[in-house]
Coordinates of all heavy atoms in Angstrom, one line a residue:
A442 N 111.0 97.7 112.9 CA 111.4 98.2 114.1 C 112.9 98.2 114.2 O 113.5 99.2 114.9 CB 110.9 97.3 115.2
L443 N 113.7 97.3 113.7 CA 115.1 97.4 113.7 C 115.7 98.7 112.9 O 116.9 98.9 113.3 CB 115.7 96.0 113.2 CG 115.4 94.8 114.0 CD1 115.9 93.5 113.4 CD2 116.2 95.0 115.4
R444 N 114.9 99.2 112.1 CA 115.4 100.3 111.4 C 115.5 101.4 112.4 O 116.3 102.3 112.1 CB 114.5 100.6 110.1 CG 114.5 99.6 109.1 CD 113.6 100.1 107.9 NE 113.2 99.0 107.1 CZ 112.3 99.1 106.1 NH1 111.8 100.4 105.9 NH2 112.0 98.1 105.4
L445 N 114.5 101.5 113.3 CA 114.5 102.5 114.3 C 115.5 102.2 115.4 O 116.3 103.0 115.9 CB 113.1 102.7 114.9 CG 112.1 103.3 114.0 CD1 110.8 103.4 114.7 CD2 112.6 104.8 113.6
F446 N 115.4 101.0 116.0 CA 116.3 100.5 117.1 C 117.1 99.3 116.8 O 116.6 98.2 117.1 CB 115.3 100.4 118.3 CG 114.7 101.5 118.9 CD1 113.4 101.9 118.5 CD2 115.5 102.4 119.7 CE1 112.8 102.9 119.1 CE2 114.7 103.5 120.2 CZ 113.6 103.9 119.9
P447 N 118.2 99.4 116.2 CA 119.1 98.2 115.9 C 119.4 97.4 117.1 O 119.7 96.3 117.1 CB 120.3 98.8 115.2 CG 119.8 100.1 114.7 CD 118.7 100.6 115.6
S448 N 119.4 98.2 118.3 CA 119.8 97.5 119.5 C 118.7 96.5 119.9 O 119.1 95.6 120.9 CB 119.8 98.6 120.7 OG 118.7 99.2 120.9
L449 N 117.6 96.4 119.3 CA 116.6 95.3 119.7 C 116.9 94.0 119.0 O 116.3 92.9 119.3 CB 115.2 95.7 119.2 CG 114.5 96.9 120.0 CD1 113.3 97.4 119.4 CD2 114.3 96.5 121.4
A450 N 118.0 93.9 118.2 CA 118.4 92.7 117.5 C 118.7 91.7 118.7 O 119.6 92.1 119.5 CB 119.5 93.0 116.5
G451 N 118.3 90.5 118.6 CA 118.6 89.6 119.5 C 117.8 89.6 120.8 O 117.9 88.8 121.7
S452 N 116.8 90.6 120.9 CA 115.8 90.7 122.1 C 115.0 89.4 121.9 O 114.5 88.9 120.8 CB 115.1 91.9 122.0 OG 115.9 93.1 122.1
S453 N 114.5 89.0 123.1 CA 113.7 87.8 123.2 C 112.2 88.1 123.0 O 111.8 89.2 123.8 CB 113.9 87.0 124.4 OG 115.0 86.4 124.5
V454 N 111.3 87.5 122.2 CA 110.0 88.0 122.1 C 109.2 86.9 122.9 O 109.4 85.7 122.6 CB 109.5 87.8 120.7 CG1 107.9 88.1 120.5 CG2 110.1 89.0 119.9
M455 N 108.5 87.2 123.9 CA 107.7 86.3 124.7 C 106.4 85.9 124.2 O 105.7 84.9 124.5 CB 107.6 86.7 126.2 CG 106.8 87.9 126.5 SD 106.8 88.2 128.2 CE 105.7 89.7 128.3
R456 N 105.7 86.9 123.4 CA 104.4 86.5 122.9 C 104.1 87.6 121.8 O 104.8 88.5 121.5 CB 103.4 86.6 124.0 CG 103.0 88.0 124.5 CD 102.1 87.9 125.7 NE 101.7 89.1 126.3 CZ 100.7 89.9 125.9 NH1 99.8 89.4 125.1 NH2 100.5 91.0 126.4
S457 N 103.1 87.2 121.1 CA 102.6 88.0 120.0 C 101.1 88.1 120.2 O 100.5 87.1 120.7 CB 103.0 87.7 118.6 OG 102.6 86.4 118.3
Y458 N 100.4 88.9 119.6 CA 98.9 88.9 119.6 C 98.4 89.8 118.5 O 99.1 90.5 117.9 CB 98.4 89.4 120.9 CG 98.7 90.8 121.4 CD1 97.8 91.9 121.0 CD2 99.8 91.1 122.1 CE1 98.0 93.3 121.4 CE2 100.1 92.6 122.6 CZ 99.3 93.5 122.2 OH 99.5 94.8 122.5
L459 N 97.0 89.5 118.2 CA 96.4 90.4 117.1 C 95.0 90.9 117.7 O 94.5 90.2 118.6 CB 96.3 89.5 115.9 CG 95.4 88.3 115.9 CD1 93.9 88.6 115.8 CD2 95.8 87.4 114.9
G460 N 94.6 91.8 117.0 CA 93.3 92.4 117.4 C 92.7 93.1 116.2 O 93.4 93.0 115.1
F461 N 91.4 93.5 116.3 CA 90.7 94.2 115.1 C 90.3 95.6 115.5 O 89.6 95.9 116.5 CB 89.5 93.3 114.8 CG 89.9 91.9 114.4 CD1 89.7 90.8 115.3 CD2 90.3 91.6 113.1 CE1 90.1 89.5 115.0 CE2 90.7 90.3 112.8 CZ 90.5 89.2 113.7
R462 N 90.6 96.5 114.6 CA 90.3 98.0 114.8 C 89.0 98.1 114.1 O 88.7 97.6 113.0 CB 91.4 98.8 114.2 CG 92.9 98.5 114.7 CD 93.7 99.4 113.9 NE 95.1 99.1 114.2 CZ 96.0 98.3 113.7 NH1 95.5 97.5 112.7 NH2 97.2 98.2 114.0
P463 N 88.1 99.1 114.6 CA 86.9 99.3 113.8 C 87.2 100.5 112.8 O 87.2 101.7 113.1 CB 86.0 100.0 115.0 CG 86.9 100.4 116.0 CD 88.1 99.7 115.9
Y464 N 87.3 100.0 111.6 CA 87.7 100.8 110.4 C 86.5 101.4 109.7 O 85.5 100.5 109.4 CB 88.5 100.1 109.4 CG 88.6 100.6 108.1 CD1 89.7 101.5 107.8 CD2 87.9 100.3 107.0 CE1 90.0 102.0 106.5 CE2 88.0 100.9 105.8 CZ 89.1 101.7 105.6 OH 89.2 102.3 104.1
V465 N 86.5 102.6 109.4 CA 85.4 103.2 108.5 C 86.2 103.8 107.3 O 87.1 104.4 107.4 CB 84.4 104.2 109.2 CG1 83.7 103.5 110.1 CG2 85.3 105.3 109.7
P466 N 85.4 103.9 106.0 CA 86.1 104.4 104.9 C 86.6 105.8 104.9 O 87.7 106.0 104.2 CB 85.1 104.1 103.7 CG 84.2 103.1 104.2 CD 84.1 103.3 105.7
D467 N 86.1 106.7 105.6 CA 86.6 108.1 105.6 C 87.4 108.4 106.8 O 87.8 109.6 107.0 CB 85.5 109.0 105.3 CG 84.5 109.1 106.6 OD1 84.6 108.2 107.5 OD2 83.6 109.9 106.6
H468 N 87.8 107.3 107.6 CA 88.8 107.5 108.7 C 88.4 108.5 109.8 O 89.3 109.1 110.4 CB 90.3 107.9 108.0 CG 90.6 107.0 107.0 ND1 91.1 105.7 107.3 CD2 90.8 107.1 105.6 CE1 91.4 105.2 106.1 NE2 91.2 106.0 105.2
L469 N 87.1 108.7 110.0 CA 86.6 109.5 111.1 C 85.8 108.7 112.0 O 85.0 107.9 111.5 CB 85.9 110.8 110.6 CG 86.8 111.9 110.1 CD1 85.7 112.9 109.5 CD2 87.7 112.4 111.0
P470 N 85.9 108.9 113.3 CA 84.9 108.3 114.2 C 83.5 108.5 113.8 O 83.1 109.5 113.3 CB 85.2 108.7 115.6 CG 86.6 109.3 115.4 CD 86.9 109.8 114.1
V471 N 82.6 107.7 114.3 CA 81.2 107.8 114.0 C 80.5 108.1 115.4 O 80.5 107.2 116.2 CB 80.6 106.6 113.3 CG1 79.1 106.9 113.0 CG2 81.3 106.3 112.1
I472 N 80.0 109.4 115.6 CA 79.5 109.6 116.9 C 78.2 110.6 116.7 O 78.3 111.6 116.1 CB 80.4 110.5 117.7 CG1 81.8 109.9 117.8 CG2 79.8 110.8 119.1 CD1 82.9 110.7 118.5
G473 N 77.0 110.0 117.1 CA 75.8 110.7 117.1 C 74.6 109.9 116.7 O 74.7 108.7 116.7
A474 N 73.5 110.6 116.3 CA 72.2 109.9 116.1 C 72.2 109.4 114.8 O 72.6 110.1 113.8 CB 71.2 110.9 116.4
D475 N 71.6 108.3 114.5 CA 71.3 107.7 113.3 C 70.1 108.4 112.6 O 69.1 108.6 113.4 CB 71.0 106.1 113.3 CG 70.9 105.6 111.9 OD1 72.0 105.2 111.3 OD2 69.7 105.4 111.5
E476 N 70.3 108.8 111.4 CA 69.1 109.7 110.8 C 67.9 108.8 110.3 O 66.9 109.2 110.0 CB 69.7 110.4 109.7 CG 70.6 111.5 110.2 CD 71.3 112.2 108.9 OE1 71.1 111.8 107.7 OE2 72.1 113.1 109.2
R477 N 68.1 107.5 110.2 CA 67.2 106.6 109.6 C 66.3 105.9 110.8 O 65.1 105.6 110.5 CB 67.9 105.5 108.8 CG 68.7 105.9 107.7 CD 69.7 104.9 107.3 NE 70.7 104.6 108.4 CZ 71.8 103.8 108.3 NH1 71.9 103.0 107.3 NH2 72.6 103.7 109.4
Q478 N 66.9 105.8 112.0 CA 66.2 105.0 112.9 C 66.2 105.9 114.2 O 67.2 105.9 115.0 CB 67.1 103.6 113.2 CG 66.5 102.7 114.3 CD 65.2 102.1 113.7 OE1 64.2 102.5 113.6 NE2 65.6 100.7 113.4
P479 N 65.2 106.6 114.5 CA 65.1 107.5 115.7 C 65.3 106.6 117.0 O 64.8 105.5 117.1 CB 63.7 108.0 115.7 CG 63.3 108.0 114.3 CD 64.0 106.8 113.6

Side-chain angles (χ1 to χ4, degrees):
L443 290 174
R444 296 183 200 174
L445 288 177
F446 291 101
S448 59
L449 288 173
S452 298
S453 298
V454 173
M455 68 175 181
R456 68 185 180 97
S457 60
Y458 61 88
L459 62 81
F461 300 100
R462 309 173 182 92
Y464 166 89
V465 293
D467 66 354
H468 305 288
L469 285 177
V471 185
I472 309 169
D475 187 85
E476 297 173 356
R477 302 157 295 180
Q478 183 79 283

